[in-house]
């Protein structure tokens, strides 16, 4: 439980570590002074090159924040750990004996360290023996992951290190606003633009700070990227820009994709997307001048056709011969701090560690051996994040939910409905260091350590495994997530019926905490957990077998796959071949289709949602930090002045935005940077400013990604006495 190098309070101390927030995982140095104050300094690391954004600079402010949870809460009242644990275990035991194992569900997060993500997946399958676990990465990376898997046989966000970007002649950013979502990334963009004749092209319905510094901005109607990408492919074919030799030797299934592209002639694509033909042509010609890189992010991916949209961009990259060539390729920009590692170690409903499939028999056997359980006792696949949340408290759904590292009350789509589901539960447990909006609804809240108080590893957007280091111990009485899981596992096991236990009878009396009679062990020690993770991932797609904490320290991080301690990591994938059975990348035929909810007379505008520089995610953390609140303390509704004039709305006037599912209010912000048919609202805010009250629960059929990026709304002046829709 004790962080390895942590200093007791009052002892000056310094550690190199990484920012707690996004997947850029900027290097920082944390210092604790004699009076216990913690300070952040930027550290030169190959990703951030000494830069940090405002969120990174202020990250330490939450460590000793007055809102920090310091004791477990039971129905809002402080209680002892003993009381909290006993309550949880009694409830879980009762619920499982009445409704079955799957009646208890787990919801994880892409901010958890590799060790915690791994332990959480194991906890669900072995300690709870439930199939019902999924996590917030489903709302984030799942579309790009599925498309990458089916094209390349592997999903590592960037298959090359960040410095490769600087060498690209052309860079296409589809639905990425990195100037606000990863500010130090901007240095790589500036280097790229400095190449003679370089093109940097941004596809975004808004002229974001990222689009404004690009050489070309394509401003499509939300939800039309798939048609756009197919249209670019059409032009590439028409102009003879396809790399025929590459297509013939390194790919499969080109013919059908080529046939489909024929239907996306430029005039049609201009009509669907609103992007002028000349800009489409300029984009394709630039991309054909290699080296070129295509990157997608949430703007293109968070759609009910997100997987196919990413496939369309990958098809384009393959036709131009980009992936697997030096300085060229396709990648997606992973979002959360451990959004990459978080999707490899088994907190996804259909997954086991090492990016293994839970319905693959040999994968089950391997993991069962590492865990010391029978493969037959491992549950099968559960359902995706939204489906899971939507089933809570229903007749056939889970009656209990344990949340580690997410705030779905604010961040889930169709949030009014999801809030009702969460309130229907017989048991909601939230482990967090502050009282998030989801923790507000919980029966039991368990306080946990923060990033600067724990050791572990994170895998950044490049697939580079990094060390998180503890500067100090958690406040008195607070343990880490790993310690909580180990304690719960031990207590659950002891409360299980003897006939349910299998193996090692009689070992119980002198068992260490977390030692499981099933044979499985849960330990609070992150390094021991990582050692087990190495064994569990060995031979999997995301192979960490050769990654050690020592190597990570010595080598500025290690890129997976890394199959043994004497082998180098793999900064660049695909140089030899792809991860498919025959080593070829696979084209996927994909057709454009309309958004799940198109505009009509009642709801005549598109709503799109996204991020602001000074807030992070559901805002649970960053809305509590003074300088960030000052920079971005409130939601707003971005409207084009022409639209505002039509609606009789002035700058800063409070407006109500309404969809079929709910409404929210916020001040209007008039700006010419947005399309006149579209409004934008950031999703970091709660209560009456919560935009997810409006968003649609249409899901991608493959990835189950919700359509966060487009639904139909109307906008009107808010009556001054407007009641919040969902108090
Ligand atoms: N400041 C800040 N940084 C963050 C985060 C944060 O919350 N705050 N979160 C982190 C996480 S988890 C993630 S996933 C990343 C996300 O990083 P990004 O994907 O860069 O962020 P978003 O703002 O969600 O979406 C990007 C852009 O998509 C545009 N967009 C909307 N609809 C469409 C569309 O139909 N097509 C296209 N092409 N574009 C569209 C939006 O206008 C927006 O500018 O950021 C990470 N970094
Ligand atoms: N409308 C709209 N909605 C969106 C999006 C969008 O673009 N538009 N984007 C989606 C995306 S990409 C994402 S990633 C999600 C993110 O949305 P959420 O999953 O809600 O993300 P966070 O706000 O980061 O929530 C993390 C919570 O866990 C806590 N926490 C942080 N670290 C730890 C830890 O190590 N242990 C424990 N126990 N708790 C911890 C934090 O205090 C916080 O309360 O939102 C999605 N929702
Ligand atoms: S860009 Fe991301 S990792 Fe870097 S300081 Fe900002 S939030 Fe932290
Ligand atoms: Mo995300």
């Amino acid at each position: 439980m004790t962080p390895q190098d942590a200093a007791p309070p009052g002892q000056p101390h310094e550690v190199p570590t990484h920012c707690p927030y996004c997947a850029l995982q900027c290097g920082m140095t944390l210092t604790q002074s004699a009076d216990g104050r913690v300070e952040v300094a930027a550290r030169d690391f190959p990703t951030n090159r000494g830069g940090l954004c405002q969120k990174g600079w202020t990250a330490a402010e939450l460590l000793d924040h007055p809102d920090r949870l310091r004791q477990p809460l039971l129905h809002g009242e402080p209680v002892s750990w003993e009381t909290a644990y006993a309550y949880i275990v009694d409830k879980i035991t009762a619920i499982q004996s009445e409704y079955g194992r799957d009646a208890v569900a787990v919801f994880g997060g892409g901010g958890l360290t590799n060790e915690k993500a791994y332990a959480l997946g194991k906890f669900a399958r072995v300690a709870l023996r439930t199939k019902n676990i999924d996590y917030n990465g489903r709302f984030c990376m799942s579309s790009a992951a599925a498309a990458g898997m089916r094209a390349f046989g592997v999903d590592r966000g960037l298959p090359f290190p960040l410095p490769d970007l600087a060498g690209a002649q052309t860079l296409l950013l589809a639905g990425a606003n990195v100037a606000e979502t990863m500010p130090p990334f901007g240095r790589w963009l500036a280097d790229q633009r400095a190449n003679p004749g370089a093109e940097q092209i941004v596809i975004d319905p808004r002229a974001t700070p990222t689009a404004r510094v690009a050489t070309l901005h394509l401003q499509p109607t939300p939800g039309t990227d798939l048609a756009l990408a197919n249209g670019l492919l059409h032009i590439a074919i028409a102009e003879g820009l396809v790399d025929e030799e590459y297509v013939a030797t390194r790919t499969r299934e080109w013919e059908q994709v080529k046939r489909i592209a024929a239907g996306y002639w430029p005039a049609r694509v201009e009509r669907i997307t609103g992007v002028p033909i000349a800009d489409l042509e300029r984009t394709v010609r630039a991309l054909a001048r290699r080296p070129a890189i295509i990157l997608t992010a949430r703007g293109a991916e968070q759609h009910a056709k997100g997987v196919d949209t990413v496939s369309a961009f990958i098809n384009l990259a393959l036709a131009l011969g980009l992936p697997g060539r030096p300085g060229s390729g396709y990648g997606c920009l992973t979002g959360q701090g451990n959004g990459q590692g978080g999707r490899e170690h088994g907190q996804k409903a259909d997954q086991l560690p090492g990016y293994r499939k839970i319905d693959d028999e040999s994968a089950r056997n391997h993991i069962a051996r590492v865990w010391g359980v029978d493969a037959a006792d491992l549950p099968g696949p559960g359902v995706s994040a939204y489906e899971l949340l939507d089933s809570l408290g229903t007749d056939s759904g889970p009656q209990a939910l344990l949340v580690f590292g997410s705030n779905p009350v604010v961040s889930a789509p169709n949030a009014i409905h999801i809030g009702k589901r969460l309130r229907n539960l017989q048991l909601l447990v939230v482990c967090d260091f502050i009282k998030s909006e989801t923790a507000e609804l919980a029966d039991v809240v368990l306080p946990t350590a923060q990033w600067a108080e724990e050791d572990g590893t994170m895998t950044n957007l490049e697939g580079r495994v990094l060390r998180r280091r503890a500067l100090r111990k958690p406040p008195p009485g607070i343990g880490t997530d790993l310690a909580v899981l180990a304690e719960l596992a031990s207590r659950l096991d002891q409360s299980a019926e003897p006939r349910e236990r299998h193996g090692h009878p009689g070992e119980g009396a002198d068992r260490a905490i977390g030692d499981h009679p099933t044979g499985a062990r849960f330990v609070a020690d992150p390094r021991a957990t990582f050692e087990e993770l190495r064994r569990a991932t060995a031979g999997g797609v995301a192979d960490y077998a050769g990654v050690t904490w020592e190597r990570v320290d010595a080598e500025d991080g290690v890129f997976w796959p890394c199959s043994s301690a004497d082998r180098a990591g793999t900064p660049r994938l695909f140089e030899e071949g792809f991860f498919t059975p025959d080593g070829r990348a696979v084209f996927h035929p994909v057709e454009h289709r309309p958004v799940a909810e198109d505009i009509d007379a009642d709801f005549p505008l598109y709503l799109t949602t996204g991020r602001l520089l000074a807030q992070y995610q559901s805002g649970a953390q960053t809305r509590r930090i003074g300088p960030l609140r000052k920079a971005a303390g409130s939601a707003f509704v971005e409207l084009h002045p022409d639209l505002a004039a039509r609606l009789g709305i002035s700058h800063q006037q409070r407006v109500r935005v309404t969809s079929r599912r709910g409404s929210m209010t916020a001040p209007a912000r008039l700006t010419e940077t947005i399309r006149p048919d579209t409004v934008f609202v950031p999703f970091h805010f709660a209560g009456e400013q919560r935009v997810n009250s409006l968003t649609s629960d249409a899901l991608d059929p493959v990835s189950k990604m919700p359509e966060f990026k487009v639904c139909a709304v109307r906008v009107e002046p808010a009556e001054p006495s407007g009641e919040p829709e969902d108090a």
Side-chain angles (χ1 to χ4, degrees):
M1 188 198 260
T2 311
Q4 321 242 324
D5 314 313
Q11 190 176 308
H13 191 51
E14 180 180 295
V15 295
T17 188
H18 297 270
C19 174
Y21 298 120
C22 87
L24 198 55
Q25 284 296 289
C26 296
M28 52 170 64
T29 304
L30 288 182
T31 317
Q32 175 175 274
S33 55
D35 61 1
R37 245 177 334 111
V38 178
E39 259 159 36
V40 171
R43 180 164 65 94
D44 199 19
F45 196 75
T47 52
N48 61 309
R49 298 196 285 175
L52 290 178
C53 80
Q54 210 177 356
K55 299 185 295 303
W57 284 116
T58 55
E61 293 198 13
L62 215 53
L63 293 170
D64 295 309
H65 195 281
D67 284 359
R68 173 125 196 218
L69 294 167
R70 289 171 187 276
Q71 251 185 294
L73 305 174
L74 177 60
H75 300 129
E77 298 300 322
V79 293
S80 69
W81 280 97
E82 180 55 40
T83 305
Y85 279 134
Y87 184 89
I88 295 170
V89 169
D90 282 355
K91 274 280 193 184
I92 287 178
T93 310
I95 288 169
Q96 287 193 321
S97 65
E98 187 174 347
Y99 301 89
R101 292 272 181 192
D102 294 336
V104 178
V106 176
F107 200 87
L112 303 176
T113 60
N114 288 317
E115 291 77 4
K116 299 196 289 190
Y118 170 81
L120 194 66
K122 177 179 169 185
F123 175 81
R125 273 64 174 247
V126 174
L128 295 171
R129 288 174 64 188
T130 178
K131 67 173 187 181
N132 281 318
I133 174 169
D134 211 57
Y135 80 123
N136 69 4
R138 186 71 72 167
F139 297 157
C140 183
M141 301 313 301
S142 61
S143 286
M149 253 333 175
R150 71 187 187 185
F152 306 122
V154 67
D155 154 42
R156 199 184 84 187
L158 295 181
F160 43 75
L162 277 174
D164 280 14
L165 293 173
Q169 176 69 21
T170 298
L171 179 62
L172 177 66
L173 290 160
N177 181 17
V178 283
E180 290 191 83
T181 53
M182 301 186 175
F185 191 102
R187 300 177 179 208
W188 300 110
L189 298 187
D191 284 359
Q192 192 269 325
R193 281 194 308 274
N195 292 324
E199 286 270 35
Q200 194 170 96
I201 304 160
V202 171
I203 309 175
D204 197 307
R206 301 185 303 138
T208 60
T210 314
R212 293 202 289 270
V213 298
T215 59
L216 179 62
H217 174 207
L218 313 182
Q219 199 167 8
T221 310
T224 62
D225 297 76
L226 203 168
L228 183 73
N230 278 358
L232 296 175
L233 183 58
H234 178 104
I235 295 169
I237 296 166
E239 298 196 357
L241 299 173
V242 172
D243 185 337
E244 301 287 353
E245 201 212 318
Y246 176 99
V247 169
T249 57
R250 299 207 59 182
T251 72
R252 276 195 285 124
E253 318 293 341
W254 163 236
E255 285 308 320
Q256 208 190 335
V257 168
K258 188 177 172 184
R259 260 198 310 281
I260 285 180
Y264 291 80
W265 58 92
R268 178 181 175 219
V269 172
E270 182 184 78
R271 207 162 52 240
I272 297 173
T273 64
V275 176
I277 294 174
D279 287 350
L280 298 171
E281 288 170 349
R282 179 171 154 193
T283 300
V284 177
R285 289 170 195 158
L287 284 169
R289 285 199 303 273
R290 290 193 301 251
I293 291 177
I294 299 176
L295 298 177
T296 61
R298 301 312 82 71
E301 299 164 9
Q302 287 174 323
H303 294 273
K305 55 178 179 294
V307 179
D308 284 353
T309 300
V310 174
S311 285
F313 283 108
I314 292 176
N315 289 342
L316 177 65
L318 290 173
L320 297 173
L322 308 184
R325 277 221 169 87
S328 272
Y330 161 81
C332 69
L333 294 169
T334 296
Q336 297 183 86
N338 197 30
Q340 180 69 54
R343 63 192 199 259
E344 300 162 0
H345 303 311
Q347 45 173 345
K348 213 168 170 179
D350 54 354
Q351 227 185 49
L352 290 172
Y355 233 134
R356 291 182 162 90
K357 297 293 269 179
I358 203 166
D359 53 9
D360 167 354
E361 201 176 311
S362 70
R364 293 170 67 87
N365 288 333
H366 170 79
I367 297 298
R369 263 196 310 279
V370 175
W371 288 351
V373 299
D374 286 338
D377 288 339
L378 293 176
V383 296
S384 75
Y386 184 81
E387 296 167 299
L388 178 63
L389 295 172
D390 185 32
S391 71
L392 296 174
T394 60
D395 286 349
S396 56
Q399 306 300 320
L401 179 72
L402 282 62
V403 180
F404 285 77
S406 182
N407 185 14
V409 165
V410 175
S411 57
N414 197 12
I416 295 174
H417 172 72
I418 293 306
K420 288 180 188 147
R421 290 288 193 242
L422 287 164
R423 287 186 181 88
N424 272 349
L425 286 166
Q426 296 181 29
L427 175 69
L428 175 61
V429 179
V430 174
C431 190
D432 207 314
F433 34 76
I434 40 90
K435 207 169 179 195
S436 70
E437 286 73 13
T438 307
E440 295 280 355
L441 298 185
D443 299 288
V444 188
V445 181
L446 301 175
T448 190
Q450 289 193 44
W451 58 292
E453 300 159 350
E454 65 175 9
D455 282 287
T457 60
M458 307 278 277
T459 304
N460 79 351
L461 76 172
E462 308 165 282
R464 189 198 298 253
V465 186
L466 307 169
R467 274 278 278 119
R468 170 178 281 191
R469 291 186 190 79
L471 173 76
R472 62 175 213 186
K473 295 181 166 54
I478 297 181
T480 60
D481 292 310
L482 284 178
V484 168
L485 291 173
E487 181 66 27
L488 279 175
S490 160
R491 287 176 181 248
L492 282 165
D493 201 62
Q494 285 169 38
S495 75
E497 295 289 309
R499 69 191 140 73
E500 285 194 31
R501 302 191 189 176
H502 39 139
H504 314 285
E507 201 185 64
D510 54 3
R511 235 172 30 226
I513 283 189
D515 245 357
H516 225 229
T518 56
R521 269 176 74 83
F522 287 88
V523 291
D525 178 37
R527 188 189 283 258
T529 306
F530 189 78
E531 291 305 310
E532 188 183 304
L533 178 157
R534 290 176 60 195
R535 289 199 303 282
T537 63
V541 174
D543 192 332
Y544 283 53
V547 185
T548 63
W549 282 20
E550 289 73 20
R551 278 189 76 177
V552 171
D553 290 345
E555 299 172 27
D556 269 350
V558 179
F559 290 81
W560 70 258
C562 179
S563 57
S564 76
D566 52 16
R567 296 263 289 272
T570 319
R572 284 185 195 79
L573 306 177
F574 314 150
E575 281 178 323
E576 306 295 315
F578 298 96
F579 283 51
T580 49
D582 62 1
R584 287 168 179 249
V586 186
F587 280 99
H588 269 270
V590 289
E591 292 275 13
H592 171 71
R593 44 194 191 270
V595 294
E597 184 181 72
D598 221 328
I599 50 176
D600 58 22
D602 294 331
F603 300 97
L605 296 168
Y606 294 111
L607 166 70
T608 192
T609 64
R611 294 164 164 79
L612 305 177
L613 198 162
Q615 291 292 341
Y616 191 67
Q617 310 279 64
S618 73
Q621 297 170 82
T622 46
R623 277 185 272 120
R624 291 179 157 84
I625 293 178
L628 300 181
R629 217 175 33 244
K630 205 165 158 214
S634 149
F636 53 81
V637 181
E638 237 179 56
L639 299 159
H640 193 279
D642 294 348
L643 172 64
R646 206 145 49 71
L647 298 173
I649 289 167
S650 54
H651 190 58
Q652 295 297 0
Q653 182 179 351
R654 225 168 118 252
V655 295
R656 176 174 297 275
V657 189
T658 307
S659 78
R660 286 185 175 77
R661 291 154 296 279
S663 76
M664 53 95 53
T665 57
R669 182 174 290 185
L670 271 51
T671 170
E672 300 201 332
T673 55
I674 191 163
R675 295 172 53 100
D677 59 358
T678 303
V679 298
F680 168 84
V681 182
F683 85 101
H684 312 293
F685 301 92
E688 66 164 21
Q689 298 202 331
R690 180 180 67 184
V691 76
N692 275 325
S693 299
L694 282 64
T695 49
S696 140
D697 61 359
L699 304 181
D700 183 285
V702 175
S703 65
K704 310 290 178 176
M705 167 73 81
E707 189 139 279
F708 283 121
K709 286 293 190 264
V710 52
C711 70
V713 298
R714 64 167 181 266
V715 178
E716 60 216 338
E719 59 291 11
S721 62
E723 286 295 308
E725 194 75 2
D726 179 49

